[in-house]
């Protein structure tokens, strides 16, 4: 299907927008009136610019407060419309969006509205222009799409049709099934936007919180299916008002929009997701110095060395950590990180991981067909990383996530690049029962949180949960968990203390809105069969590695739950879910830009201990500095 | 009255919060449980710390989901309460806040709730503790303050009273008059928060958008008056959840809260505002180089020179601009600005004005008693600027605004510091009919927008209007106008083309949420008797100084209004208000960090041409660079 986007959906001047939209592969644009008014180019030049870029101008919008008005106002409104028709001819646009009237003076009389729209359509026809009438969710009298269609039907003019907008329909909870009652040829245009499910004034919700399909909570694909069933043949057009998109990179947002439409098309075609990972192959950390102390303490042993690069493989159970020695030690801020070793110095690595010692730079995901997975990611506009490698190395299939983390798709071939070390290799002090990587938590850059959610959903097939907000002493951390379906093992299906056989992949995306400035650390959460045993060992041998948890936390925990007193001694945190699942977890101190969590899921606990996150964040601030950072005024 | 604040209202760790709250002059604190749980100090040490700082612990909060529950849950809840009572004894707190139950399992039976609360109060009494029961606005069954009071009355226990919270009462639209039906001694606590008037889910509204009294849209003082009439004698306690305060400076927010309570007390005492300015005495600009071209072009003449400092006075009508020569030319970013000259190098000047050529650093406000005005500002915790000056200079009375702008209170004495220049002095090319300063627009730093609103309201007596959001090509600008009452001359009271005799003071506070990084420029808006004449002169003599306005804007303007074609030729913008008022305005290009607007208010127009602001912002971006700033991805 043709793909279009309203210019209001991306940042920049009109000419920047057109350039970026064309580069992202869109076929057409809706010209949002304010973008045109602020543009120094005359309409003829905008028309030529769009044509040069291969873009059609599919819609001019919006034309407001036209129909159902007193007679004197009607004359003025028709006069105003004539101005716009002349402008549209200069611009080469032949479809005008008319939004249902929101003015206090409009009269709630469908016959009158139909009469006025018929007059408008007749005038439009004289200019070769068609009119698409849309019910705004906050229209004064007309705010339901079937009501708007009824008026269009009553007006009965070939140059008048309706425009459907997924936000206006779904935000009101209207059933989109009714779209199939509209003849396809009378649906002149289809605008698509998603949104998080918020309980707020619909106008503010629409103007600030829309997002691209697949980033929010609406079933946009289901709505499009009804339009296709009705016979709609026009473009799928994105129209998004979003405070973050307004501040984000023009080209990046345009590509994000295109990614959302490609994913939507796949969903409509019922294409099964080709690259859902079955687990973590590895997590790759830059920098060895400090990590050499932590990993053996956690029971990891160095089990391999890359045959051609300075990278070590540390393992325990199915948990594998790669340590990239080229990133050792603190670097000056802004230095170009050497990048993940498995990726063969493919990129500069995540911005948040550079310049402050060890960081999480890449993750490997188990996938039976890495070539197919990377092709899928590429089809969703993910940057594929260069595959430079020695001839004897296994092929590498990797893309960059929006946050800069490198994502490798792995069958087992990559392990052959590592020469095994004998048992009892350097640093091995005995396993602690860690079985696999439970999840990784990745810090996201500002303004790209929705993009990240769509990436991990569309490219990796993870299912997002609702966003949470976690208080930090100096702000809030917005946090969204995503995981492979099913998100949890059903309660009771595994005995207490055991772990499910197929853990899948879980991730947590964090966006820090924190005054202290530093981006929050990333972390790797390791699943342990017995967190208390890990804690006892750390307490005995490396107490300096355990993040100290305040006694006040345990006073409260013991007021709420019947827990063993040992938790307090060991610094282990605890949560329960409403289904009876329980969660034990502990944290190491932060090393460079990364820390480790050891987690134990009991009786199908499917969360992440979010209730304890404020305690952890405060403890990290206490541990990371002696001077309060925010006393400067 | 005693003044208290909940620790959740400011950022930081608990010890940072206590220190800042004491430094701001509060008498006591509410300890918010999460702050205590995350604190590594035991309760006894927190108690000692507070006592050392001279703070009482007035409340421990919140205790949730206690009352109206099934029997098994009641036992667990009483057990949980016992834990908290023991903790409170260690902490030295003797009042516990119990919020109305939000749990799905609670039973809507007032008798049962009263019975449970009576049990709780009886247990509390054994510890010397009292319980204050509060209706949360989103409580499951109890969400009105009179309902909570009814249950307290029914429970009838001396250790049980009610807690009133202005947000919970006013957000639901409840009439606070009913407070007077509650015996004062049964109002155990009074929590105060204001909020902007938003149409959204009340829980989200409460958790993210509360602000200090005087910063939002509620009549908090009116509510307090009812509580005092009822006989309430406890503290006024601020309890604010605000995403910006969480990220702002701890001490700064604490002082802001204290300022709001002082202003609230004044309001309750019916103290008339002692320092409402009657007009602008001057605006002071740093840097002369480029300004020397602009000011004569606008019809200003240099009419004086400071007798002891390198500062010039430029005048036209009652509009006076001071030009501080020590700030000439661009400075390296981060350089310490020499500060306003009238202020005698008192401070580093506004952060936004430093480092990029001419900027707006100070304003002078006409005030008959500058000494009294500065004393008032100081009583509201505004930093008073040092008064270093030569012995022969007039006394200076100035404070720093939250955004760094220096505010001078002026009678006419300051003019004597300037030696007059002869008529036809340097740069004078004939007046253009500018009569006075209409308004100044000041860029605000992030996270302190509410503080600024309270400063200009409380210290200067300006009345705020609702916030607007104005689209910029690379984000949004939040904008709030404030002015001396009355905000406008009534329509028809002045003939078209004339200006009111007593213009008062108008200001616009702007907060840029813009990806491009640079703070938005400040501007000085000058009232002209004939903007078209000013425009003609600029067009003829200095066309390079006029901000170019796109022809597309005029195509649209002419579709909406019957305006003379000359506006298009001259680059003059136009607006009308619903009362028939009209507004003509034009903009100069930006010089350094400042630009000028010439405005003409016709028939009582009281706005600021906000509808045209997106056009101006886009034109400024077009003018200020050739490379798009946001294409880096």
């Amino acid at each position: 299907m043709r793909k279009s986007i309203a210019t209001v959906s991306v940042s920049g001047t009109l000419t920047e927008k057109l350039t970026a939209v064309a580069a992202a592969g869109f076929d057409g644009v809706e010209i949002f009136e304010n973008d045109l008014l602020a543009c120094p180019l005359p309409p003829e030049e905008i028309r030529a610019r769009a044509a040069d870029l291969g873009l059609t101008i599919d819609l001019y919008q919006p034309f407001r407060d036209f129909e159902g008005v007193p007679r004197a106002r009607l004359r003025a409104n028709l006069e105003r419309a004539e101005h716009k028709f002349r402008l549209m001819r200069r611009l080469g646009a032949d479809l005008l969006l008319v939004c249902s009237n929101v003015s206090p003076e409009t009269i709630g009389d469908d016959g009158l509205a139909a009469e006025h729209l018929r007059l408008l359509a007749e005038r439009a026809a004289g200019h070769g222009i068609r009119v698409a009438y849309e019910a705004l969710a906050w229209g004064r009298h007309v705010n339901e799409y079937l009501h708007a269609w009824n008026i269009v039907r009553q007006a009965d003019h070939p140059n008048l049709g309706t425009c459907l907008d997924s936000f206006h329909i779904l935000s009101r909870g209207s059933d989109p099934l009714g779209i199939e009652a509209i003849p396809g040829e009378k649906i002149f245009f289809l605008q698509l936007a998603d949104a998080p499910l918020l309980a707020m004034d619909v106008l503010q919700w629409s103007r600030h919180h829309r997002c691209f399909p697949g980033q929010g909570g609406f079933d946009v694909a289901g709505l499009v299916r009804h339009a296709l069933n009705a016979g709609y043949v026009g473009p799928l057009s994105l129209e998004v008002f979003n405070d973050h998109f307004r501040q984000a990179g023009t080209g990046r947002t345009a590509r994000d929009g295109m990614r959302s439409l490609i994913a939507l098309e796949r969903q409509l075609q019922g294409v099964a997701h080709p690259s859902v990972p079955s687990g973590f192959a590895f997590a790759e950390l830059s920098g060895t110095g400090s990590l050499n102390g932590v990993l053996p303490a956690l029971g990891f042993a160095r089990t391999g060395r890359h045959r051609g690069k300075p990278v070590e493989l540390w393992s325990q159970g199915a948990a594998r950590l790669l340590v990239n020695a080229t990133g050792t030690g603190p670097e000056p801020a802004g230095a170009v990180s050497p990048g993940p070793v498995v990726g063969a110095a493919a990129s500069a690595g995540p911005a948040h991981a550079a310049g402050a010692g060890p960081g999480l730079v890449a993750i490997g995901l188990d996938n039976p067909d890495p070539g197919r997975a990377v092709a899928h990611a590429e089809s969703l506009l993910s940057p594929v990383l260069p595959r430079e490698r020695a001839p004897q190395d296994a092929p590498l299939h990797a893309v960059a996530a929006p946050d800069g983390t490198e994502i490798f798709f792995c069958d087992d071939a990559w392990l052959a690049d590592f020469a095994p070390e004998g048992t009892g290799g350097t640093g091995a002090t005995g396993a602690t029962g860690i079985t696999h990587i439970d999840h990784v938590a990745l810090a996201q850059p500002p303004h790209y949180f929705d993009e990240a959610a769509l990436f991990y959903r569309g490219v990796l097939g993870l299912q997002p949960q609702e966003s949470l907000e976690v208080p930090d002493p100096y702000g809030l951390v917005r946090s969204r968990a995503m995981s492979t379906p099913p998100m949890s093992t059903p309660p009771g299906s595994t005995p207490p203390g055991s772990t499910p056989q197929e853990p899948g992949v879980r991730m947590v995306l964090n966006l820090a809105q924190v005054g202290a400035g530093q981006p929050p650390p990333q972390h790797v959460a390791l699943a342990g069969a017995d967190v208390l045993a890990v804690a006892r060992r750390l307490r005995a041998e490396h107490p300096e590695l355990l993040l100290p948890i305040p006694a006040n936390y345990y006073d409260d925990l013991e007021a709420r739950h019947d827990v063993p007193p040992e938790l307090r001694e060991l610094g282990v945190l605890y949560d329960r879910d409403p289904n009876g699942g329980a969660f034990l977890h502990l944290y190491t101190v932060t090393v460079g830009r990364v820390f480790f969590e050891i987690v134990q899921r009991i009786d199908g606990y499917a969360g992440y201990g979010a209730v304890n996150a404020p305690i952890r964040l405060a403890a990290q601030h206490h541990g990371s500095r002696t001077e309060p950072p925010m006393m400067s005024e």
Side-chain angles (χ1 to χ4, degrees), chain A:
Chain A
M1 299 183 71
R2 284 176 53 80
K3 298 182 186 67
S4 190
I5 186 168
T7 53
V8 73
S9 311
V10 299
S11 67
T13 63
L14 183 55
T15 51
E16 287 168 5
K17 291 173 188 222
L18 294 176
T19 304
V21 161
F26 284 92
D27 303 297
V29 287
E30 305 174 30
I31 299 284
F32 190 68
E33 180 160 273
N34 277 357
D35 286 321
L36 181 117
L37 301 190
C39 179
L41 300 182
E44 294 81 359
E45 280 189 43
I46 296 167
R47 173 188 200 155
R49 181 77 62 107
D52 287 349
L53 290 165
L55 292 170
T56 55
I57 296 179
D58 295 332
L59 185 79
Y60 184 78
Q61 68 125 320
F63 191 69
R64 295 191 189 279
D65 296 344
F66 170 78
E67 83 288 7
V69 292
R71 184 155 304 273
R73 172 67 67 186
L74 177 65
R75 265 198 310 275
N77 283 355
L78 284 169
E79 184 62 29
R80 182 159 59 94
E82 286 289 346
H83 273 92
K84 296 303 171 191
F85 293 148
R86 288 195 291 272
L87 165 69
M88 288 173 66
R89 291 179 66 166
R90 296 171 64 196
L91 192 59
D94 64 3
L95 185 61
L96 176 68
L97 177 70
V98 174
C99 299
S100 60
N101 203 320
V102 302
S103 159
E105 74 169 2
T106 181
I107 301 154
D109 175 340
D110 288 0
L112 192 69
E115 181 193 323
H116 292 176
L117 287 168
R118 186 181 164 82
L119 275 173
L120 182 69
E122 186 59 30
R123 301 273 189 112
H127 296 273
I129 286 171
R130 299 186 308 152
V131 170
Y133 180 58
E134 171 186 68
L136 292 182
W138 54 91
R140 193 161 178 91
H141 300 293
V142 179
N143 42 46
E144 290 278 355
Y145 75 99
L146 286 175
H147 190 180
W149 158 236
N150 249 321
I151 291 171
V152 166
R153 183 165 58 175
Q154 209 172 326
D156 190 25
H157 192 287
N159 283 53
L160 181 68
T162 190
C163 172
L164 301 176
D165 179 307
S166 62
F167 180 87
H168 290 302
I169 296 170
L170 299 173
S171 66
R172 293 183 59 92
S174 305
D175 191 330
L177 176 63
I179 293 172
E180 301 196 12
I182 308 174
E185 70 276 11
K186 295 303 274 186
I187 305 173
F188 280 7
F189 210 69
L190 178 58
Q191 294 177 314
L192 302 182
D194 202 343
L197 303 179
L198 303 172
M200 65 186 300
D201 175 64
V202 70
L203 175 60
Q204 295 303 316
W205 189 14
S206 175
R207 293 227 170 131
H208 299 286
H209 300 283
R210 288 184 178 213
C211 54
F212 290 133
Q215 297 178 343
F218 291 149
D219 179 12
V220 179
L223 182 143
V224 172
R225 191 170 287 120
H226 291 306
L228 298 179
N229 289 347
Y232 176 69
V233 294
L236 301 180
S237 189
L238 299 168
E239 191 206 22
V240 167
F241 305 84
N242 181 297
D243 289 0
H244 294 291
F245 293 8
R246 285 182 186 277
Q247 299 180 58
T250 312
R252 182 164 171 171
T253 305
R255 280 198 301 280
D256 191 29
M258 177 52 71
R259 178 183 298 134
S260 95
L261 286 182
I262 295 170
L264 179 77
E265 275 189 326
R266 299 266 167 83
Q267 204 180 335
L268 288 170
Q269 290 156 3
V271 178
H273 200 289
S275 57
V276 177
S278 56
F280 286 99
F282 61 81
E284 182 168 346
L285 306 157
S286 67
T288 54
S290 325
L291 290 170
N292 277 346
V294 178
L295 299 185
L298 292 175
F300 279 79
R302 195 175 67 208
T303 56
R305 283 181 185 277
H306 195 277
R307 297 179 192 279
K309 300 164 195 160
V311 61
E312 300 175 348
L313 169 63
W314 290 72
S315 305
Q316 185 175 185
R320 297 185 202 94
L321 302 174
L322 301 184
V323 178
N324 173 340
T326 61
T328 303
E331 296 155 4
V336 174
S337 146
V341 167
V342 162
S347 84
H352 46 253
L360 176 59
V361 291
I363 54 176
L365 299 174
D366 290 323
N367 194 293
D369 189 344
R372 188 167 173 228
V374 88
H376 171 70
E378 190 168 18
S379 75
L380 286 168
L381 311 182
S382 302
V384 175
L385 299 174
R387 304 177 187 194
E388 293 166 31
R389 55 191 177 87
Q392 71 278 15
D393 289 351
L396 296 172
H397 301 277
V399 298
D403 58 27
T405 305
E406 306 198 344
I407 311 286
F408 289 80
F409 301 100
C410 306
D411 52 21
D412 286 340
W414 67 278
L415 274 169
D417 293 346
F418 288 81
E421 301 224 332
T423 51
T426 309
T429 59
T432 57
I434 286 169
T435 55
H436 58 279
I437 295 174
D438 183 88
H439 65 276
V440 295
L442 302 175
Q444 302 298 307
H447 305 316
Y448 300 101
F449 203 66
D450 289 330
E451 180 188 354
L454 179 59
F455 172 85
Y456 289 106
R457 185 180 199 168
V459 173
L460 300 186
L462 306 187
Q463 295 297 316
Q465 296 174 231
E466 284 301 296
S467 285
L468 298 175
E469 272 159 343
V470 178
D472 175 281
Y474 305 100
L476 288 173
V477 177
R478 191 173 158 206
S479 186
R480 194 170 194 189
M482 312 191 74
S483 60
T484 45
M487 295 196 297
S488 68
T489 311
S493 68
T494 53
S498 78
T499 51
Q501 287 308 297
E502 301 239 27
V505 164
R506 293 180 170 95
M507 289 191 191
V508 177
L509 309 183
N510 290 325
L511 175 64
Q513 297 167 312
V514 173
Q518 275 279 18
Q522 319 266 63
H523 83 263
V524 179
L526 301 159
D530 184 351
V531 162
L532 294 181
V534 181
R536 280 182 213 115
R537 169 115 151 243
L538 281 171
R539 171 68 69 211
E541 296 176 10
H542 293 281
E544 77 284 1
L545 293 179
L546 273 172
L547 185 72
I549 303 299
N552 296 331
Y553 166 78
Y554 292 99
D555 291 344
D556 178 66
L557 183 64
E558 290 164 8
R560 292 183 291 118
H561 297 294
D562 187 20
V563 290
E566 198 183 8
L567 297 190
R568 179 192 292 262
E569 294 153 29
L570 296 173
V572 171
L573 298 100
Y574 180 83
D575 187 27
R576 288 195 75 81
D577 68 23
N579 303 319
F583 191 54
L584 292 168
H585 56 144
L586 68 81
Y587 297 102
T588 71
V589 295
T590 301
V591 179
R593 302 284 315 129
V594 72
F595 64 93
F596 297 92
E597 181 182 9
I598 320 293
V599 311
Q600 182 176 351
R601 299 178 178 275
I602 299 167
D603 292 345
Y605 180 92
Y608 298 83
V611 69
N612 298 326
I615 303 295
R616 189 254 300 166
L617 287 163
Q620 288 175 330
H621 281 291
H622 277 288
S624 68
R625 58 167 167 258
T626 50
E627 289 299 307
M630 292 301 297
M631 296 300 284
S632 65
E633 326 269 318

